[in-house]
Amino acid sequence: MTGNVRYPVIPENITVHLGAPGSDAPNVTVPFSDYIKNVASSEVYPTWSDAALRANILAQTSFALNRIYTEYYRSRGYDYDITSSTASDQAFIYGREIFDNIGALVDELFDDYISRTGAVEPLFAQYCNGTTVTCDGLSQWGSESLAREGLGAYDILTRYYGSDIEIVFDAPISGVTESYPGAPLRIGSFGNAVRQTQFRLNRIAENYPAIPKIKFPNGFFDEETEAAVKAFQRIFSLTQDGVVGRATWYKILRIYSSVKSLSDLASEGIPIEDVTNTFPEVLKIGERGSPVVELQYLLSFVADFVPFIPAPAVDGIFGEETERSLLAFQTYYGLEETGVADDVVWNKLRSVYRGMLASSPDDYYLANEAYVGYPVAAGSEGPFVARIQRYLNYLSNYYPDIPRVAEDGVFGPATERAVKAFQREFGIEESGAVGALSYNRLYGEYKRLEALSNEER
Amino acid sequence: MDNASPTGYLRVSVTSGGLAYPVEGAIVMIKDAALGASGVLYSLRTDMSGLTPTVELAAKDASLSETPGNDSPFLLYAVEVMKEGYSRSLINEVQVFEGISATLPVNLVPLGYGAPPYGIGGTA
């Protein structure tokens, strides 16, 4: 066999343009299953028959996947996957309510789609209401009347799309390495999948304290595990049966990753010191280096809270992606849309970052271990500097090239030498200043070594 | 409300950072969309999971949704969510259908320092 067939994957997120193609409207990035729940809640009535709802959800999912798979908008130079215009795509009303029965169906169906028999591409499953608008595709009202006649979802779909279609079940999901184990986990189950579930539930419980902690996450599905699963299901609108089936499994994965992505970016509770910013540089497209990393880091943190702002890659290169993110930040916070990071942008970004840290619940981040939100260098002082010194000293036990320093909270020449030695050791530009990138490497290595030494004990 | 009148159900889920953490103690007001500010039906507070209790709301007869050409088969409500330190959120046109439970997800964005905090004074 030659040639690479690109198989469709269910994306983690989808970017929706909240207007007609090419119009001046914001984009919003949301998890794919949330998108389908929203579309289904907007396109059809929740009071319709189960089979009609299923047929419509499969058509909506296929339509969206087709737009992504064929890069319909991206290949035309747009920075989104689909629009909310019903003339071009399907209805999406950002922030709307989700009907629980539709939500439950989507949790079950979001990784299934329609394709032509023998083809790989998700079907361009057009549909229309069937009364005021008719089209070469599914009729929404017609699907309900067929369901009332007793047809199942597949038979409804073949009426509109022909008999040469098939449903692709359980398509691969992007970013998910832990696929559903195949059978539901329940009381009496044991093994690694149970242990992972317990571990994830315990981590989620740190942010959602109504979920009871599982005292012995040992891989045996006991009554405590069941209680935690039920509490999780209650909060996230799943059937409260205490069993980890497909829908619950993937929901746990998703919430776990949501909870973790934010705490990976930063930790909490930094007292706000009045420190002069070390590099309030003006940055624009084409630039590179650690100030760009700083900018990207802060933007990606804010993006976790504001779905209108796309998160840029934190790679130190100010390209179009970073510019788009910055423009969206300026739009959202009412700043002039220049795409250039100037003093106004830096001040706003840091103020927003610190506000977001401060508003998080106390036990959300590991106490006092966050990046402070601005770089420090020779001349800086304060508890944040003292923490950096503590981590440097910890690393120096393992990396003899990193000299020990006094943990006095004063960033003097000795600290600068230690920082440079650390940067050399880890292949970071030897600036002697600690910004987001250096801090995250330093802190990450500190945590890694600490965990190792705890294991040895 | 007598037993014969159609009703539906709504709960509000308030989080921040996507679903990263729940926002406890947010004030959630559910209003009759037609009456606006004067039509507050419920004033609720979110629990430690960011959830309000599920409330019952008047709806329209579900049979209106069975065939095309009828009046819209739902009643509309407005929901306002407030929590100190976060942006305020107003969601219009929340639809309530007979016999259907819905969850309204509200994602609050924390305000930065220096931004005017949305005061909900006196509701300690």
Side-chain angles (χ1 to χ4, degrees), chain A residues 39-285:
Chain A
V39 169
S41 295
S42 307
E43 285 281 359
V44 293
Y45 292 141
T47 42
W48 282 6
S49 319
D50 186 77
L53 294 177
R54 284 172 187 271
N56 279 279
I57 289 166
L58 283 165
Q60 292 152 2
T61 305
S62 305
F63 187 97
L65 290 176
N66 180 278
R67 286 290 195 229
I68 293 169
Y69 185 81
T70 61
E71 302 184 7
Y72 183 81
Y73 287 107
R74 302 232 179 233
S75 69
R76 287 162 172 76
Y78 295 117
D79 55 352
Y80 43 83
D81 300 308
I82 201 162
T83 76
S84 67
S85 148
T86 50
S88 310
D89 297 304
Q90 34 195 9
F92 174 84
I93 302 162
Y94 179 67
R96 72 159 298 141
E97 78 284 14
I98 303 300
F99 303 112
D100 291 352
N101 60 330
I102 285 179
L105 284 174
V106 174
D107 280 333
E108 185 190 326
L109 297 171
F110 77 100
D111 53 355
D112 302 341
Y113 61 88
I114 316 162
S115 71
R116 285 272 166 244
T117 307
V120 165
E121 184 173 312
L123 185 71
F124 183 64
Q126 287 194 84
Y127 59 84
C128 47
N129 69 19
T131 52
T132 52
V133 185
T134 54
C135 61
D136 183 18
L138 177 144
S139 151
Q140 292 170 327
W141 280 109
S143 69
E144 169 63 0
S145 96
L146 290 174
R148 283 177 184 273
E149 287 169 24
L151 265 69
Y154 178 78
D155 291 329
I156 294 172
L157 291 169
T158 57
R159 286 286 180 102
Y160 295 110
Y161 299 119
S163 53
D164 60 335
I165 56 164
E166 54 191 50
I167 313 279
V168 177
F169 292 102
D170 305 350
I173 303 167
S174 164
V176 171
T177 47
E178 305 290 341
S179 290
Y180 176 56
L185 306 173
R186 50 164 58 96
I187 286 217
S189 302
F190 60 93
N192 264 337
V194 175
R195 206 174 51 82
Q196 287 163 347
T197 300
Q198 292 169 325
F199 171 80
R200 291 180 188 129
L201 283 170
N202 275 349
R203 176 64 190 85
I204 294 167
E206 285 174 27
N207 293 23
Y208 286 88
I211 300 173
K213 284 273 182 82
I214 301 159
K215 269 196 239 61
F216 304 106
N218 53 11
F220 289 91
F221 201 122
D222 54 6
E223 273 160 23
E224 262 189 7
T225 308
E226 188 183 61
V229 170
K230 280 187 177 165
F232 176 86
Q233 289 171 327
R234 188 185 76 83
I235 296 170
F236 295 104
S237 304
L238 297 156
T239 311
Q240 291 171 56
D241 56 6
V243 174
V244 181
R246 277 182 80 253
T248 301
W249 171 268
Y250 282 116
K251 187 74 114 191
I252 290 174
L253 272 182
R254 211 192 109 202
I255 306 298
Y256 174 70
S257 108
S258 181
V259 157
K260 225 175 132 287
S261 92
L262 209 52
S263 63
D264 281 353
L265 272 167
S267 326
E268 195 235 353
I270 309 304
I272 307 303
E273 303 124 295
D274 207 12
V275 176
T276 331
N277 297 335
T278 316
F279 35 71
E281 279 185 46
V282 176
L283 296 175
K284 56 181 182 303
I285 197 157

